[in-house]
């Protein structure tokens, strides 16, 4: 089984996807005139908007829900696997992908808002919705919905569950089946409570844990401050092939840096589009900007801090693909993953470092699982739009909880492999879709730019922006008597 999964991962995550993700990010950076950079102050300001309704969550809650999907084990364990396979240079390419990915995240989340719908009492939307309404390709939209449903309902959750179980076993000696049972039980309480309960859990947990985690990392960096210049030189030298040890694995550095950046911040993969569509905003671009900022938080701040902490303390090994002997083996016998991060924190905090990482992983991965369930449920609602088969939602909940438990007790390599298959498949489909939907996203951005220059708080009317099939917004304008 693991061999088959590994073969599929190598095929899906070949150079084609790596360069596609980089190219799409660069393309959107150019055509939006660097929207992720020029609107940075606006991104931060929009986080303070607390607009919420009975149907929609606030922009900040949507931001936290997307961060709960972005900030997970990719920030702690995924960064370590990138260093192990691609060397220190992978960190540089991870940051490059994040900076370019901010534009991709902006576009996909803006599209999610433009083409969102109201299902029952809640806003729903995401990549299948904008593919059907924007590209008018129903069959393609159904394919994407099926892939997303299978990925987030079955393939991807095991990574988060497995990392929780592994970190608690390393830190506290807790058997994996106990962790799996506890996590499944807590998830059951929240996934049966609807979008609002999931959003409230995310906006309570994510900011606190992110600040606490970054705070501990800063303490580690201060304690090893004299090594920061040396570490930065190592990263740059390894990224461009000038380092004596890692110069020969530049290809692996690029591949693994992009791969783990996409896995961590999921910019362009379509993941954040579902929570973005649930937000109550006056203009789609507002949520696009907020989601662009979330990529910075995830990768430029959290992932980079983790990587520098691991490198500066020397708590890592490097085993490039295809090489029989390691290039570097600083901690023999320690497998790549959260153990690197735990060992790095342990250089300053002792056993408390490993315990804190375990707790941090639990909260990050747990909220990530909540985001995954919400995405799988939204994809299911798209496939069953008339709610003819309500039993399907119950089946999804039960299958999701079973997958979480099984993921806790299976091997880490199998779980990471299944997750890479899911994410890679979604990336190909969504990156292609949003490129073909550049025009409506750009029209929405131009409309926002125009209103901002006029000193207005932008309000979206698709008829003024020249965007078709955005029925929700036309009805919204009519209900609020804005013609």
């Amino acid at each position: 089984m693991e061999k088959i999964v590994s073969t599929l991962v190598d095929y899906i995550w070949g150079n084609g996807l790596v360069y596609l993700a980089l190219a799409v990010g660069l393309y959107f950076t150019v055509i939006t005139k660097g929207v992720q950079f020029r609107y940075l102050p606006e991104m931060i300001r929009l986080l303070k908007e607390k607009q919420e309704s009975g149907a929609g969550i606030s922009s900040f809650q949507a931001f936290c829900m997307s961060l709960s999907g972005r900030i997970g084990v990719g920030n702690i364990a995924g960064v370590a696997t990138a260093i192990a396979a691609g060397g220190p240079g992978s960190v540089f390419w991870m940051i490059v992908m994040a900076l370019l990915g901010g534009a991709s995240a902006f576009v996909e989340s803006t599209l999610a808002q433009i083409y969102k719908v109201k299902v029952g009492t809640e806003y729903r939307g995401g990549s299948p919705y904008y593919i059907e309404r924007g590209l008018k390709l129903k069959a393609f939209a159904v394919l994407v919905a099926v892939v997303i449903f299978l990925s987030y309902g079955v393939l991807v959750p095991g990574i988060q569950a497995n990392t929780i179980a592994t970190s608690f076993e390393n830190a506290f000696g807790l058997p994996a089946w106990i962790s799996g049972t506890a996590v499944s039980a807590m998830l059951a309480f929240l996934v049966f409570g609807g979008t609002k309960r999931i959003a409230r859990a995310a906006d309570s947990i994510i900011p606190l844990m992110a600040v606490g985690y970054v705070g501990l990392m800063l303490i580690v960096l201060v304690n090893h401050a004299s090594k920061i210049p040396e570490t930065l030189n190592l990263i740059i030298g390894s990224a461009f092939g000038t380092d004596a040890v890692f110069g020969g694995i530049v290809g692996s550095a690029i591949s693994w840096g992009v791969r783990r950046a996409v896995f961590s911040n999921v910019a362009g993969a379509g993941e954040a589009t579902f929570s973005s569509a649930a937000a109550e905003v006056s203009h789609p671009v507002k949520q696009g900007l907020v989601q662009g900022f979330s990529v910075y938080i995830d990768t430029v701040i959290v992932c980079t801090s983790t990587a520098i902490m691991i490198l500066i303390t020397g708590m890592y090994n490097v085993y490039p693909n295809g090489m029989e002997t390691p290039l570097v083996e600083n901690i023999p016998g320690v497998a790549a993953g959260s153990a690197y991060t735990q060992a790095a924190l342990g250089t300053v905090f002792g056993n408390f470092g490993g315990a804190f990482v375990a707790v941090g992983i639990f909260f990050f991965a747990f909220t990530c699982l909540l985001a995954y369930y919400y995405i799988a449920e939204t994809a299911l609602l798209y496939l069953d739009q008339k709610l003819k088969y309500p039993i399907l939602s119950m089946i999804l909940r039960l299958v999701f909880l079973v997958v979480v438990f099984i993921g806790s007790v299976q091997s880490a390599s199998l779980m990471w492999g299944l997750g890479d298959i899911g994410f890679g498949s979604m990336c190909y489909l969504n990156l292609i879709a949003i490129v073909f939907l550049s025009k409506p996203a750009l029209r929405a951005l131009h409309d926002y730019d125009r209103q901002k220059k006029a000193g207005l708080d932008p309000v979206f009317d698709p008829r003024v922006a020249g965007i078709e099939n955005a029925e929700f917004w036309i009805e919204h304008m009519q209900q609020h008597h804005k013609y």
Side-chain angles (χ1 to χ4, degrees):
M1 177 66 175
E2 288 193 33
K3 188 174 181 180
I4 295 173
V5 168
S6 178
T7 301
L8 286 173
V9 169
D10 290 341
Y11 179 76
I12 292 172
W13 280 96
N15 289 335
L17 181 54
V18 169
Y19 294 125
L20 176 64
L22 282 169
V24 171
L26 180 60
Y27 168 70
F28 284 129
T29 298
V30 172
I31 67 170
T32 63
K33 299 177 182 178
V35 66
Q36 73 271 41
F37 307 126
R38 63 186 176 93
Y39 266 134
L40 184 58
E42 179 78 347
M43 293 175 178
I44 298 171
R45 185 191 69 79
L46 289 171
L47 287 176
K48 301 175 184 177
E49 288 196 356
K50 295 294 185 181
Q51 188 175 358
E52 186 179 357
S53 70
I57 61 178
S58 72
S59 186
F60 181 73
Q61 286 178 320
F63 169 78
C64 289
M65 280 183 68
S66 69
L67 269 185
S68 69
R70 298 188 200 277
I71 298 182
V73 300
N75 301 77
I76 300 173
V79 171
T81 60
I83 292 172
S90 61
V91 178
F92 175 84
W93 295 106
M94 186 173 64
I95 295 171
V96 169
M97 184 65 244
L99 294 175
L100 296 177
S104 301
F106 164 80
V107 168
E108 65 181 0
S109 292
T110 298
L111 290 169
Q113 271 287 327
I114 292 172
Y115 296 109
K116 71 181 180 182
V117 300
K118 192 172 182 179
V119 179
T121 60
E122 297 179 338
Y123 297 150
R124 296 280 182 167
S127 47
Y129 295 84
Y130 58 64
I131 289 171
E132 178 184 345
R133 288 164 174 74
L135 290 179
K136 301 177 184 178
L137 296 174
K138 176 73 173 180
F140 184 27
V142 170
L143 170 64
V144 170
V146 170
V147 170
I148 289 171
F149 174 73
L150 292 175
S151 295
Y152 285 103
V154 181
L155 297 177
V156 179
I159 297 174
Q160 310 293 337
N162 185 272
T163 307
I164 290 174
T166 301
S167 62
F168 269 79
E169 191 167 11
N170 289 340
F172 308 113
L174 193 69
W177 71 268
I178 294 180
S179 300
T181 301
V183 170
S184 299
M186 286 184 282
L187 277 173
F189 170 73
L190 290 170
V191 300
F192 281 92
T195 303
K196 292 283 187 178
R197 187 179 290 178
I198 292 173
R200 283 194 293 268
D203 74 8
S204 298
I205 295 170
I206 285 296
L208 180 64
M209 287 308 304
V211 170
Y213 181 62
V214 172
L216 285 187
M217 286 189 290
L218 288 174
I219 294 173
V220 173
L221 296 182
V222 169
N223 273 268
H224 296 83
S226 62
K227 295 183 179 179
I228 290 179
E230 175 188 335
T231 301
L232 294 177
N233 286 333
L234 176 64
I235 291 172
I236 298 299
S238 302
F240 291 98
T242 60
D243 183 82
V245 177
F246 302 107
I249 59 168
V250 174
S252 294
I254 296 173
S255 176
W256 279 94
V258 173
R259 182 171 170 174
R260 283 296 168 245
V262 172
F263 181 91
S264 177
N265 64 49
V266 294
E271 179 181 298
T273 61
F274 296 90
S275 58
S276 296
E280 183 75 65
V281 292
S282 66
H283 199 289
V285 166
K286 289 186 174 183
Q287 189 56 210
L289 291 172
V290 166
Q291 295 304 332
F293 184 67
S294 71
V295 173
Y296 293 159
I297 298 293
D298 172 88
T299 306
V300 178
I301 296 178
V302 180
C303 280
T304 302
S305 298
T306 299
I308 292 177
M309 180 178 64
I310 290 171
L311 294 172
I312 209 169
T313 58
M315 294 294 108
Y316 65 96
N317 304 318
V318 179
Y319 297 85
N321 292 340
M323 291 191 178
E324 296 182 1
T325 57
L327 280 180
V328 171
E329 193 174 31
N330 295 328
I331 42 177
V334 177
S338 59
Y340 285 15
T341 310
Q342 288 175 309
L345 281 170
T347 62
V348 174
F349 299 103
N351 292 334
F352 172 76
F356 182 86
V357 170
V359 174
I361 283 176
F362 167 76
F363 282 112
F364 287 149
F366 186 77
T367 52
C368 211
L369 287 169
L370 291 176
Y372 289 173
Y373 171 77
Y374 175 77
I375 293 167
E377 183 184 65
T378 303
L380 178 62
L381 286 174
Y382 173 82
L383 294 169
D384 184 26
Q385 293 183 31
K386 299 186 183 299
L387 302 177
K388 293 180 180 179
Y389 308 103
I391 188 64
L392 291 177
S393 293
M394 179 63 69
I395 293 173
L396 169 62
R397 293 184 180 114
L398 295 175
V399 169
F400 188 85
L401 295 173
V402 170
V403 166
V404 167
F405 177 79
I406 292 175
S408 301
V409 298
Q410 288 294 319
S411 72
S413 59
L414 177 60
M415 293 302 101
W416 277 97
L418 291 173
D420 279 340
I421 290 172
F423 277 118
S425 301
M426 291 186 304
C427 282
Y428 273 116
L429 297 172
N430 193 66
L431 286 170
I432 292 169
I434 61 177
V435 167
F436 282 102
L437 284 167
S438 301
K439 186 176 289 186
L442 277 179
R443 286 180 175 175
L445 177 58
H446 292 157
D447 181 65
Y448 190 85
D449 287 337
R450 175 184 59 80
Q451 295 188 56
K452 288 294 291 184
K453 288 177 182 177
L456 302 173
D457 180 16
V459 175
F460 185 60
D461 185 337
R463 296 164 294 189
V464 174
I467 298 174
E468 299 178 349
N469 297 326
E471 290 86 357
F472 166 83
W473 287 99
I474 294 176
E475 294 173 4
H476 183 74
M477 294 293 289
Q478 291 173 344
Q479 289 171 1
H480 290 78
H481 307 289
K482 296 182 183 292
Y483 296 96

